[in-house]
Amino acid sequence: MKNKEHFSFARKLKNYRLGRGMSRKRLAQATQTSIGNIDLLESGVLLPSPALTESIAAALKIDCKEIGHSGKKPELTCASLKEVFGL
């Protein structure tokens, strides 16, 4: 499911990539991932793993915090389970 974090990350990633004149292909090569993954990240479908977040930040010459995603997966809590399942 897409959420605000996905869209925020996606928008920032695309803006930084374009601001550096970098193609999706070049970013994919620099991060050792596929162009398809870059497309999914930029469309907000996926969030990157911690390792890919670090690789993207390094390729774009920015700090991970600048793209707004730590690479950590959200914590699953009782409150979030209740919200998801309507308990």
Side-chain angles (χ1 to χ4, degrees), residues 12-80:
K12 289 177 184 178
L13 173 60
K14 186 172 185 176
N15 287 340
Y16 275 109
R17 179 181 61 76
L18 292 174
R20 285 165 177 59
M22 188 178 281
S23 68
R24 286 185 181 115
K25 181 178 180 178
R26 195 163 128 222
L27 181 58
Q29 290 170 336
T31 58
Q32 298 181 344
T33 192
S34 69
I35 296 171
N37 278 344
I38 300 299
D39 287 338
L40 292 172
L41 292 168
E42 288 189 353
S43 65
V45 174
L46 294 178
L47 283 175
S49 66
L52 185 53
T53 299
E54 290 178 12
S55 185
I56 289 169
L60 296 173
K61 296 181 176 35
I62 58 173
D63 188 276
C64 290
K65 294 176 187 175
E66 290 183 60
I67 50 178
H69 177 58
S70 65
K72 295 179 182 174
K73 293 186 177 182
E75 185 176 322
L76 187 60
T77 63
C78 289
S80 62

